Structure formats: structure tokens, C-alpha cells
């Protein structure tokens, strides 16, 4: 009995008839697998950001870059209004015509005037509103959402509202002015007055939108900075200028650049402000902007499309120049603040 049991126990380590002995894996296989996975991981980290942004650039190349390049190509040709295809190469003639057009000069100054009256106060007021919304207010969510309501209003509805406010004879603003003994203002024929009316419309729609962008940047500021400034005796005003503004400088640069681009491309507000719709920016082009000039040139009788293309490229270069000036100025201010 004991011999049989001993023999049985001794035979246990032998290979079973159903499962063969495990073969040892090659020495370099695990190392090669780890190295391959490491290379794939590094490749994924390097390429995945480009793959994420690639759809945007593909769409931009189709609906943005190609029309831009074709517009530049078309601006060097002549194209009759009812022609099937563009005519001969005429070089810089379209650009010369646009730059020597007195209507273009008026549109340029109108655009700059409306831009200065809208973007500069808009950014300043949006920053102050964002700072107020960053405090401990009751119903903060309601207040933050309410500043976005003007942006939700359709531009046509806003134009009707402000058209009633700034009507030349029966407008609410003129009624208030006459009620306090001041002379009435002809908002559609007075050039600075029309700029102010259109800028008011623009500020009404976009101030709350920019305020929420600035508020999001303020929310990301560490609260320890404010506590340290309060311990050092800094007031709320000093905290705003020495803690808040330096901390949100990148966001302010973004808001300034986007406001500059939007301000120089303004079209909807002055187009809807023109109640007559026959003069395209006033009887004497008092508030015709550059985008309205491009629109009107494209509907003219002589070489409409090439001249409109030339005007569009001039507008593009003006916007790039303003954006570069904003970038250089803000970078200079940032370097001076660090030194």
C-alpha cells in the first residue's frame, strides 16, 4: 500500500498525456513588444493633435483659402458684367481704380471711425462688466446669462429697435433731446452721428459676448493671488490693475484681435441702418463701410467682379495690418510690464 502510494506521488511531476511541457518564450520577444508599443505611443502623442485639427484646416482650405486665392487671381483680369468668363490680364488696374476711388476713401474712414467708436469702448466696458460678474453677486448665473441676451437677438430685430431710437425726426433719442431743449440730430445724414448710432448698435450686441470670454479668463485666476494682495493691503482697484489684468493678458489679446477683425468687417449693422436702401450707406456715403463698398462694387456695371476682388484683397491687407499692430503693441506692453 505504501509502495503504491509512493510510486503514485513520485510519478506526479511527469508530463501529463493531455498537456505537453511549456516551451520557454524567446528571450527578446517581451522586450521587442514593449519597444514597439513605446514607439506607437510616442507616435500617437506626436500625430494625434495634428489629426484632431486637420478637419478644420481641410474645410478652411475648401471654403476659405481657395476662394481667397481665386479672388486674388481674379483681381488681375477684366470681366464684363454679363461675360461668361474673365477677360484679358490687366495687371494692377483694378487695384489702382479702387485706391483712387473717392467712395473707397469715404468707406475707409467710415470703417475706421465706426471701429474706434465700437471696439475701444466695447472692450473696456466688457472688461469692467466681467470684473463685476466675478464678484459674489446674488444670482450670479442669472446675471452672467443675461449679458448674453443681446447677442442672441437677431441683427434684423436689433436694427429695427435702434432704427426707431435713432430715427431722424420721430426717433426716441431726438424726442429726448428736444424735450431737454437740445437740437435734434439728423442721424442718417450727419457723418459722426451715423457712426455713433451704428457703433451703439454694435456695442449692444457684442459687449456681453466679450464680457463672458473675459469672465472665463478671470475665473481661472488662482484666488491665492487675491488673498496675498489683500494681505499686503491692496484695494479692489489695485487688485484689478495689478492682479487681474496681468493674469488675463493672453485673453485680452485674443479679444482685441477678434474685435479688430470684426470691427473692420462690419456690414450687417450699417446695411440695416440704411432705411432708404437705395444709397447704400447714406445719400453721400456717410456710413458706407469697406464691406459695403465691396458689395456695391460687385453689383456695379463695369468690371464688377475683378474690382470687387481687388477691394476685398485691400480690405484683407488692412485687417492684417491692424492685427499686426495690435499684436506688436500688446507684446510691447507685456514685455514692459515684466521688466
Amino acid at each position: 500500500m505504501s509502495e503504491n502510494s509512493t510510486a503514485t506521488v513520485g510519478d506526479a511531476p511527469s508530463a501529463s498525456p493531455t498537456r505537453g511541457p511549456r516551451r520557454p518564450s524567446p528571450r527578446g520577444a517581451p522586450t521587442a513588444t514593449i519597444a514597439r508599443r513605446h514607439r506607437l505611443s510616442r507616435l500617437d502623442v506626436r500625430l494625434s493633435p495634428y489629426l484632431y485639427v486637420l478637419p478644420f484646416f481641410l474645410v478652411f482650405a475648401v471654403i476659405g483659402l481657395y476662394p481667397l486665392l481665386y479672388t486674388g487671381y481674379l483681381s488681375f483680369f477684366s470681366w464684363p458684367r454679363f461675360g461668361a468668363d474673365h477677360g484679358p490680364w490687366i495687371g494692377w488696374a483694378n487695384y489702382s481704380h479702387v485706391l483712387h476711388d473717392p467712395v473707397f476713401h469715404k468707406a475707409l474712414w467710415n470703417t475706421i471711425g465706426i471701429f474706434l467708436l465700437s471696439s475701444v469702448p466695447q472692450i473696456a466696458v466688457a472688461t469692467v462688466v466681467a470684473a463685476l460678474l466675478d464678484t459674489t453677486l446674488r444670482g450670479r448665473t442669472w446675471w452672467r446669462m443675461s449679458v448674453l441676451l443681446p447677442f442672441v437677438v437677431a441683427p434684423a430685430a436689433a436694427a429695427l429697435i435702434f432704427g426707431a431710437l435713432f430715427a431722424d425726426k420721430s426717433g426716441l433719442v431726438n424726442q429726448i433731446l428736444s424735450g431737454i431743449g437740445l437740437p435734434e440730430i439728423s442721424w442718417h445724414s450727419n457723418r459722426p452721428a451715423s457712426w455713433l448710432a451704428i457703433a451703439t448698435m454694435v456695442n449692444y450686441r457684442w459687449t456681453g459676448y466679450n464680457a463672458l470670454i473675459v469672465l472665463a479668463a478671470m475665473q481661472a485666476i488662482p484666488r491665492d493671488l487675491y488673498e496675498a494682495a489683500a494681505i499686503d493691503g491692496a484695494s479692489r482697484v489695485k487688485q484689478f490693475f495689478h492682479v487681474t489684468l496681468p493674469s488675463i493678458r493672453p485673453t485680452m489679446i485674443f479679444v482685441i484681435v477678434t474685435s479688430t477683425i470684426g470691427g473692420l468687417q462690419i456690414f450687417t449693422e450699417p446695411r440695416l441702418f440704411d432705411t432708404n436702401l437705395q444709397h447704400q450707406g447714406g445719400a453721400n456715403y456717410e456710413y458706407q463701410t469697406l464691406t459695403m463698398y465691396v458689395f456695391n462694387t460687385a453689383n456695379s456695371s463695369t468690371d464688377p467682379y475683378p474690382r470687387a476682388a481687388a477691394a476685398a484683397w485691400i480690405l484683407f491687407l488692412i485687417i492684417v495690418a491692424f492685427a499686426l499692430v495690435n499684436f506688436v503693441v500688446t507684446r510691447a506692453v507685456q514685455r514692459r510690464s515684466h521688466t
Side-chain angles (χ1 to χ4, degrees), residues 16 45 58 69 91 135 189 219 239 241 265 282 300 305:
S16 61
V45 171
L58 291 177
L69 297 178
T135 58
S189 59
Q219 292 287 304
Q239 292 179 20
F241 284 102
Q265 290 182 335
S300 61
Y305 306 125

Side-chain angles (χ1 to χ4, degrees), residues 224-244:
D224 298 340
L225 298 178
Y226 292 104
E227 295 177 0
I231 293 175
D232 292 338
S235 62
R236 285 293 184 88
V237 177
K238 291 184 177 180
Q239 292 179 20
F240 176 76
F241 284 102
H242 296 284
V243 177
T244 304

Side-chain angles (χ1 to χ4, degrees), residues 23-83:
R23 297 181 180 179
S25 59
R27 184 181 299 272
T31 305
T33 302
I34 295 175
R36 184 172 63 255
R37 291 179 178 178
H38 183 65
R39 287 194 300 268
L40 292 175
S41 177
R42 293 179 59 185
L43 188 64
D44 176 65
V45 171
R46 290 182 179 181
L47 293 181
S48 58
Y50 299 97
L51 294 177
Y52 292 147
V53 300
L54 182 61
F56 166 77
F57 287 100
L58 291 177
V59 175
F60 172 75
V62 174
I63 66 175
L65 184 60
Y66 171 73
L68 181 65
L69 297 178
Y70 183 73
T71 299
Y73 166 79
L74 183 62
S75 63
F76 294 100
F77 292 88
S78 174
W79 194 342
R81 182 175 178 83
F82 299 104

Side-chain angles (χ1 to χ4, degrees), residues 107-128:
L108 175 61
W109 289 114
N110 292 341
T111 303
I112 295 176
I114 296 173
F115 160 70
L116 293 177
L117 290 175
S118 60
S119 295
V120 176
Q122 179 186 135
I123 296 173
V125 174
T127 306
V128 174

Side-chain angles (χ1 to χ4, degrees), residues 232-269:
D232 292 338
S235 62
R236 285 293 184 88
V237 177
K238 291 184 177 180
Q239 292 179 20
F240 176 76
F241 284 102
H242 296 284
V243 177
T244 304
L245 290 183
S247 300
I248 64 172
R249 187 174 291 112
T251 303
M252 292 300 298
I253 294 175
F254 169 80
V255 171
I256 291 172
V257 172
T258 54
S259 298
T260 300
I261 296 174
L264 295 176
Q265 290 182 335
I266 184 172
F267 176 81
T268 304
E269 287 80 1

